[in-house]
Amino acid sequence: MSSEYALNLEAEIQRMLATDIVVLAAQSFVALFPGVQLGKHLGSGKLRKWLRQEFGKPRWTEGNTYAFDALTAEIELIYERARIASRDASGQLMLLPRGLQLLAAPDPVAALRELL
């Protein structure tokens, strides 16, 4: 990996970590869940892929991208705490009734903060 690429990736990871986690959770939810029916699952790995696309597009084989995995887990916990989505036994995210409310909200970040 080139040093310039590594520096850019590290800067993107730091930008991602500095972003308000509730903002990331709301943005990812409204980007990923439209079209998912109530009680149905979001495709496996979509949240992690969304984060990687939003912040630096790292190669899947790079070992220094554990921050993406950690933030994915934290966002999933926020989804569950707000009861907008829940992980099933296989780890896939299932859309819950309150998730439909969030998708319809004019300000998803404010709506998610209220649900928390």
Side-chain angles (χ1 to χ4, degrees):
M1 163 175 27
S2 76
S3 61
E4 181 180 341
Y5 178 80
L7 289 173
N8 288 339
L9 176 58
E10 186 58 33
E12 285 297 299
I13 289 172
Q14 291 307 312
R15 184 173 70 88
M16 177 180 69
L17 294 173
T19 302
D20 181 333
I21 192 66
V22 175
V23 171
L24 283 178
Q27 289 175 341
S28 63
F29 193 85
V30 299
L32 297 172
F33 275 90
V36 176
Q37 295 178 357
L38 181 64
K40 297 291 184 178
H41 294 92
L42 181 67
S44 180
K46 297 257 185 185
L47 177 54
R48 184 176 288 106
K49 184 177 181 181
W50 181 85
L51 281 171
R52 289 173 181 262
Q53 289 174 340
E54 292 294 309
F55 297 96
K57 301 179 183 169
R59 299 176 188 113
W60 285 99
T61 57
E62 292 172 4
N64 66 344
T65 58
Y66 293 112
F68 291 94
D69 298 334
L71 231 41
T72 296
E74 188 172 4
I75 289 170
E76 288 174 347
L77 288 170
I78 289 172
Y79 288 175
E80 289 185 317
R81 182 174 171 207
R83 296 185 357 237
I84 57 176
S86 177
R87 288 174 286 190
D88 66 11
S90 71
Q92 288 190 324
L93 290 165
M94 178 177 51
L95 182 62
L96 299 176
R98 288 170 58 141
L100 294 175
Q101 295 171 2
L102 184 63
L103 288 173
D107 183 349
V109 175
L112 181 56
R113 287 190 197 284
E114 286 182 27
L115 292 172
L116 292 170

